[in-house]
Tab-separated table of all heavy atoms in Angstrom:
chain	number	residue	atom	x	y	z
A	1	GLU	N	13.512	-90.727	202.101
A	1	GLU	CA	12.080	-90.454	202.026
A	1	GLU	C	11.849	-89.089	201.388
A	1	GLU	O	11.236	-88.195	201.965
A	1	GLU	CB	11.436	-90.525	203.412
A	1	GLU	CG	11.505	-91.903	204.047
A	1	GLU	CD	10.692	-92.011	205.328
A	1	GLU	OE1	9.996	-91.026	205.679
A	1	GLU	OE2	10.759	-93.072	205.973
A	2	ALA	N	12.363	-88.940	200.158
A	2	ALA	CA	12.215	-87.670	199.459
A	2	ALA	C	10.736	-87.347	199.263
A	2	ALA	O	9.913	-88.223	199.022
A	2	ALA	CB	12.918	-87.740	198.114
A	3	GLY	N	10.404	-86.058	199.359
A	3	GLY	CA	9.023	-85.637	199.172
A	3	GLY	C	8.413	-85.014	200.404
A	3	GLY	O	7.342	-84.409	200.333
A	4	SER	N	9.080	-85.138	201.547
A	4	SER	CA	8.618	-84.507	202.779
A	4	SER	C	9.835	-83.944	203.498
A	4	SER	O	10.975	-84.248	203.146
A	4	SER	CB	7.877	-85.508	203.677
A	4	SER	OG	8.741	-86.570	204.051
A	5	GLY	N	9.593	-83.108	204.494
A	5	GLY	CA	10.716	-82.522	205.191
A	5	GLY	C	10.287	-81.683	206.380
A	5	GLY	O	9.095	-81.592	206.698
A	6	ILE	N	11.258	-81.067	207.004
A	6	ILE	CA	11.052	-80.273	208.210
A	6	ILE	C	11.862	-78.997	208.079
A	6	ILE	O	13.037	-79.040	207.706
A	6	ILE	CB	11.529	-81.050	209.457
A	6	ILE	CG1	10.741	-82.352	209.618
A	6	ILE	CG2	11.420	-80.192	210.709
A	6	ILE	CD1	11.444	-83.384	210.488
A	7	THR	N	11.245	-77.871	208.356
A	7	THR	CA	11.968	-76.602	208.375
A	7	THR	C	11.992	-76.072	209.800
A	7	THR	O	10.964	-76.033	210.473
A	7	THR	CB	11.320	-75.569	207.443
A	7	THR	OG1	11.313	-76.066	206.108
A	7	THR	CG2	12.097	-74.269	207.471
A	8	LEU	N	13.170	-75.683	210.256
A	8	LEU	CA	13.341	-75.148	211.598
A	8	LEU	C	13.887	-73.725	211.518
A	8	LEU	O	14.777	-73.441	210.712
A	8	LEU	CB	14.303	-76.011	212.420
A	8	LEU	CG	13.951	-77.482	212.610
A	8	LEU	CD1	15.056	-78.194	213.385
A	8	LEU	CD2	12.613	-77.642	213.315
A	9	ALA	N	13.358	-72.852	212.354
A	9	ALA	CA	13.910	-71.510	212.536
A	9	ALA	C	14.200	-71.355	214.021
A	9	ALA	O	13.282	-71.385	214.839
A	9	ALA	CB	12.932	-70.440	212.060
A	10	GLN	N	15.466	-71.237	214.356
A	10	GLN	CA	15.853	-71.107	215.761
A	10	GLN	C	16.151	-69.653	216.087
A	10	GLN	O	16.936	-68.996	215.406
A	10	GLN	CB	17.081	-71.956	216.080
A	10	GLN	CG	17.502	-71.872	217.550
A	10	GLN	CD	18.668	-72.762	217.895
A	10	GLN	OE1	19.111	-73.580	217.081
A	10	GLN	NE2	19.196	-72.636	219.104
A	11	HIS	N	15.520	-69.139	217.135
A	11	HIS	CA	15.783	-67.795	217.648
A	11	HIS	C	16.249	-67.931	219.097
A	11	HIS	O	15.460	-67.833	220.027
A	11	HIS	CB	14.534	-66.925	217.585
A	11	HIS	CG	14.121	-66.507	216.207
A	11	HIS	ND1	13.189	-65.521	215.977
A	11	HIS	CD2	14.512	-66.939	214.986
A	11	HIS	CE1	13.019	-65.355	214.677
A	11	HIS	NE2	13.814	-66.214	214.053
A	12	GLY	N	17.511	-68.213	219.281
A	12	GLY	CA	18.052	-68.370	220.632
A	12	GLY	C	17.529	-69.615	221.305
A	12	GLY	O	17.847	-70.743	220.905
A	13	ASN	N	16.676	-69.439	222.311
A	13	ASN	CA	16.208	-70.586	223.103
A	13	ASN	C	14.892	-71.168	222.609
A	13	ASN	O	14.302	-72.007	223.282
A	13	ASN	CB	16.062	-70.171	224.574
A	13	ASN	CG	15.062	-69.031	224.756
A	13	ASN	OD1	14.403	-68.609	223.808
A	13	ASN	ND2	14.959	-68.524	225.981
A	14	THR	N	14.416	-70.724	221.449
A	14	THR	CA	13.129	-71.184	220.934
A	14	THR	C	13.239	-71.552	219.455
A	14	THR	O	13.972	-70.897	218.701
A	14	THR	CB	12.051	-70.088	221.110
A	14	THR	OG1	12.057	-69.628	222.463
A	14	THR	CG2	10.667	-70.626	220.788
A	15	VAL	N	12.510	-72.588	219.066
A	15	VAL	CA	12.487	-73.035	217.674
A	15	VAL	C	11.056	-73.027	217.166
A	15	VAL	O	10.138	-73.516	217.842
A	15	VAL	CB	13.089	-74.453	217.534
A	15	VAL	CG1	12.753	-75.060	216.175
A	15	VAL	CG2	14.598	-74.410	217.714
A	16	PHE	N	10.868	-72.466	215.987
A	16	PHE	CA	9.609	-72.582	215.266
A	16	PHE	C	9.855	-73.609	214.165
A	16	PHE	O	10.755	-73.442	213.349
A	16	PHE	CB	9.188	-71.235	214.670
A	16	PHE	CG	7.793	-71.205	214.107
A	16	PHE	CD1	6.815	-70.462	214.731
A	16	PHE	CD2	7.462	-71.910	212.956
A	16	PHE	CE1	5.518	-70.414	214.222
A	16	PHE	CE2	6.175	-71.876	212.443
A	16	PHE	CZ	5.201	-71.127	213.079
A	17	GLY	N	9.056	-74.671	214.142
A	17	GLY	CA	9.245	-75.718	213.149
A	17	GLY	C	7.967	-76.026	212.396
A	17	GLY	O	6.862	-75.872	212.925
A	18	VAL	N	8.119	-76.445	211.146
A	18	VAL	CA	6.987	-76.904	210.345
A	18	VAL	C	7.366	-78.234	209.713
A	18	VAL	O	8.387	-78.336	209.021
A	18	VAL	CB	6.594	-75.898	209.250
A	18	VAL	CG1	5.339	-76.380	208.528
A	18	VAL	CG2	6.365	-74.510	209.833
A	19	TRP	N	6.566	-79.239	209.982
A	19	TRP	CA	6.743	-80.579	209.402
A	19	TRP	C	5.855	-80.644	208.169
A	19	TRP	O	4.633	-80.556	208.261
A	19	TRP	CB	6.341	-81.616	210.443
A	19	TRP	CG	6.375	-83.051	209.995
A	19	TRP	CD1	7.034	-83.589	208.927
A	19	TRP	CD2	5.714	-84.154	210.634
A	19	TRP	NE1	6.841	-84.943	208.860
A	19	TRP	CE2	6.037	-85.318	209.897
A	19	TRP	CE3	4.893	-84.257	211.763
A	19	TRP	CZ2	5.540	-86.569	210.249
A	19	TRP	CZ3	4.410	-85.507	212.112
A	19	TRP	CH2	4.737	-86.654	211.365
A	20	TYR	N	6.473	-80.789	206.995
A	20	TYR	CA	5.747	-80.871	205.737
A	20	TYR	C	5.592	-82.336	205.362
A	20	TYR	O	6.560	-83.015	205.015
A	20	TYR	CB	6.492	-80.106	204.648
A	20	TYR	CG	6.566	-78.620	204.922
A	20	TYR	CD1	7.768	-78.005	205.272
A	20	TYR	CD2	5.425	-77.831	204.852
A	20	TYR	CE1	7.832	-76.640	205.531
A	20	TYR	CE2	5.477	-76.463	205.111
A	20	TYR	CZ	6.678	-75.880	205.443
A	20	TYR	OH	6.732	-74.523	205.711
A	21	THR	N	4.361	-82.832	205.418
A	21	THR	CA	4.098	-84.245	205.195
A	21	THR	C	2.768	-84.411	204.463
A	21	THR	O	2.340	-83.488	203.750
A	21	THR	CB	4.128	-85.007	206.541
A	21	THR	OG1	3.958	-86.390	206.308
A	21	THR	CG2	3.097	-84.495	207.524
A	22	TYR	N	2.086	-85.552	204.634
A	22	TYR	CA	0.838	-85.825	203.932
A	22	TYR	C	-0.169	-86.463	204.877
A	22	TYR	O	0.192	-87.242	205.761
A	22	TYR	CB	1.087	-86.747	202.725
A	22	TYR	CG	2.184	-86.227	201.829
A	22	TYR	CD1	3.486	-86.702	201.962
A	22	TYR	CD2	1.935	-85.236	200.886
A	22	TYR	CE1	4.508	-86.207	201.175
A	22	TYR	CE2	2.943	-84.737	200.089
A	22	TYR	CZ	4.241	-85.220	200.239
A	22	TYR	OH	5.257	-84.723	199.464
A	23	GLY	N	-1.446	-86.131	204.662
A	23	GLY	CA	-2.511	-86.689	205.477
A	23	GLY	C	-2.983	-88.029	204.950
A	23	GLY	O	-2.431	-88.589	203.991
A	24	ASP	N	-4.035	-88.559	205.563
A	24	ASP	CA	-4.568	-89.860	205.152
A	24	ASP	C	-5.140	-89.838	203.748
A	24	ASP	O	-5.318	-90.886	203.120
A	24	ASP	CB	-5.646	-90.318	206.141
A	24	ASP	CG	-5.057	-90.652	207.506
A	24	ASP	OD1	-3.859	-90.992	207.562
A	24	ASP	OD2	-5.785	-90.567	208.501
A	25	ASP	N	-5.459	-88.636	203.226
A	25	ASP	CA	-5.955	-88.516	201.858
A	25	ASP	C	-4.827	-88.335	200.862
A	25	ASP	O	-5.062	-88.069	199.684
A	25	ASP	CB	-6.935	-87.346	201.745
A	25	ASP	CG	-6.309	-86.017	202.187
A	25	ASP	OD1	-5.118	-86.011	202.589
A	25	ASP	OD2	-7.005	-84.992	202.126
A	26	ASN	N	-3.572	-88.453	201.344
A	26	ASN	CA	-2.363	-88.302	200.524
A	26	ASN	C	-2.128	-86.879	200.033
A	26	ASN	O	-1.246	-86.642	199.200
A	26	ASN	CB	-2.359	-89.263	199.330
A	26	ASN	CG	-2.501	-90.704	199.736
A	26	ASN	OD1	-3.431	-91.393	199.323
A	26	ASN	ND2	-1.605	-91.180	200.585
A	27	GLN	N	-2.900	-85.931	200.566
A	27	GLN	CA	-2.726	-84.532	200.203
A	27	GLN	C	-1.750	-83.859	201.175
A	27	GLN	O	-1.552	-84.319	202.287
A	27	GLN	CB	-4.077	-83.811	200.221
A	27	GLN	CG	-5.057	-84.319	199.181
A	27	GLN	CD	-4.501	-84.187	197.770
A	27	GLN	OE1	-4.100	-83.098	197.345
A	27	GLN	NE2	-4.469	-85.301	197.051
A	28	PRO	N	-1.139	-82.751	200.735
A	28	PRO	CA	-0.169	-82.062	201.602
A	28	PRO	C	-0.763	-81.677	202.951
A	28	PRO	O	-1.898	-81.206	203.030
A	28	PRO	CB	0.204	-80.818	200.793
A	28	PRO	CG	-0.069	-81.196	199.374
A	28	PRO	CD	-1.260	-82.104	199.418
A	29	LEU	N	0.003	-81.880	203.991
A	29	LEU	CA	-0.384	-81.546	205.360
A	29	LEU	C	0.812	-80.907	206.049
A	29	LEU	O	1.930	-81.397	205.910
A	29	LEU	CB	-0.802	-82.813	206.120
A	29	LEU	CG	-0.989	-82.688	207.640
A	29	LEU	CD1	-2.224	-81.859	207.965
A	29	LEU	CD2	-1.077	-84.065	208.295
A	30	PHE	N	0.590	-79.819	206.767
A	30	PHE	CA	1.675	-79.267	207.574
A	30	PHE	C	1.299	-79.333	209.043
A	30	PHE	O	0.154	-79.139	209.429
A	30	PHE	CB	2.054	-77.838	207.148
A	30	PHE	CG	0.989	-76.794	207.329
A	30	PHE	CD1	0.822	-76.150	208.545
A	30	PHE	CD2	0.178	-76.422	206.263
A	30	PHE	CE1	-0.138	-75.164	208.705
A	30	PHE	CE2	-0.784	-75.434	206.410
A	30	PHE	CZ	-0.949	-74.796	207.634
A	31	VAL	N	2.304	-79.630	209.862
A	31	VAL	CA	2.156	-79.724	211.314
A	31	VAL	C	3.126	-78.714	211.919
A	31	VAL	O	4.303	-78.687	211.567
A	31	VAL	CB	2.460	-81.144	211.819
A	31	VAL	CG1	2.324	-81.217	213.338
A	31	VAL	CG2	1.539	-82.158	211.149
A	32	VAL	N	2.633	-77.872	212.841
A	32	VAL	CA	3.409	-76.744	213.344
A	32	VAL	C	3.920	-76.980	214.765
A	32	VAL	O	3.165	-77.407	215.643
A	32	VAL	CB	2.557	-75.460	213.321
A	32	VAL	CG1	3.301	-74.287	213.970
A	32	VAL	CG2	2.179	-75.096	211.883
A	33	LEU	N	5.202	-76.718	214.959
A	33	LEU	CA	5.813	-76.620	216.283
A	33	LEU	C	5.986	-75.126	216.531
A	33	LEU	O	6.899	-74.501	216.001
A	33	LEU	CB	7.169	-77.334	216.309
A	33	LEU	CG	8.017	-77.144	217.573
A	33	LEU	CD1	7.410	-77.892	218.747
A	33	LEU	CD2	9.452	-77.604	217.321
A	34	SER	N	5.088	-74.538	217.313
A	34	SER	CA	5.061	-73.081	217.426
A	34	SER	C	6.073	-72.516	218.403
A	34	SER	O	6.518	-71.378	218.243
A	34	SER	CB	3.658	-72.623	217.843
A	34	SER	OG	3.332	-73.132	219.119
A	35	ALA	N	6.421	-73.250	219.415
A	35	ALA	CA	7.315	-72.725	220.453
A	35	ALA	C	8.152	-73.858	221.029
A	35	ALA	O	8.053	-74.181	222.204
A	35	ALA	CB	6.520	-72.025	221.550
A	36	GLY	N	8.988	-74.446	220.185
A	36	GLY	CA	9.837	-75.529	220.647
A	36	GLY	C	10.918	-75.020	221.578
A	36	GLY	O	11.612	-74.042	221.277
A	37	ALA	N	11.074	-75.669	222.723
A	37	ALA	CA	12.091	-75.271	223.698
A	37	ALA	C	13.402	-75.977	223.388
A	37	ALA	O	13.453	-77.204	223.273
A	37	ALA	CB	11.632	-75.618	225.112
A	38	VAL	N	14.456	-75.204	223.209
A	38	VAL	CA	15.792	-75.768	222.979
A	38	VAL	C	16.375	-76.160	224.323
A	38	VAL	O	16.498	-75.331	225.222
A	38	VAL	CB	16.706	-74.754	222.276
A	38	VAL	CG1	18.096	-75.340	222.078
A	38	VAL	CG2	16.109	-74.345	220.936
A	39	GLN	N	16.703	-77.433	224.465
A	39	GLN	CA	17.218	-77.959	225.727
A	39	GLN	C	18.656	-78.393	225.525
A	39	GLN	O	18.922	-79.337	224.787
A	39	GLN	CB	16.345	-79.124	226.198
A	39	GLN	CG	14.893	-78.723	226.404
A	39	GLN	CD	13.969	-79.905	226.548
A	39	GLN	OE1	14.287	-81.017	226.143
A	39	GLN	NE2	12.798	-79.678	227.136
A	40	GLY	N	19.565	-77.660	226.166
A	40	GLY	CA	20.973	-77.935	225.942
A	40	GLY	C	21.340	-77.575	224.520
A	40	GLY	O	20.833	-76.619	223.948
A	41	ALA	N	22.209	-78.353	223.919
A	41	ALA	CA	22.641	-78.060	222.552
A	41	ALA	C	22.136	-79.085	221.554
A	41	ALA	O	22.459	-78.998	220.365
A	41	ALA	CB	24.164	-78.000	222.502
A	42	THR	N	21.333	-80.057	222.006
A	42	THR	CA	20.995	-81.148	221.100
A	42	THR	C	19.523	-81.514	221.032
A	42	THR	O	19.155	-82.359	220.226
A	42	THR	CB	21.768	-82.434	221.488
A	42	THR	OG1	21.384	-82.822	222.811
A	42	THR	CG2	23.273	-82.213	221.428
A	43	SER	N	18.666	-80.938	221.839
A	43	SER	CA	17.285	-81.414	221.846
A	43	SER	C	16.274	-80.272	221.793
A	43	SER	O	16.545	-79.145	222.203
A	43	SER	CB	17.016	-82.296	223.060
A	43	SER	OG	17.125	-81.542	224.253
């Protein structure tokens, strides 16, 4: 699914993520994960 993606920045126990995708108008849309909690080593 080339054309969209996800960028993650991990700072220890917290992740800042941005999902780069498209809205219903087919224009660029970003969705923010501002304070993702890292749980264990995989989630």
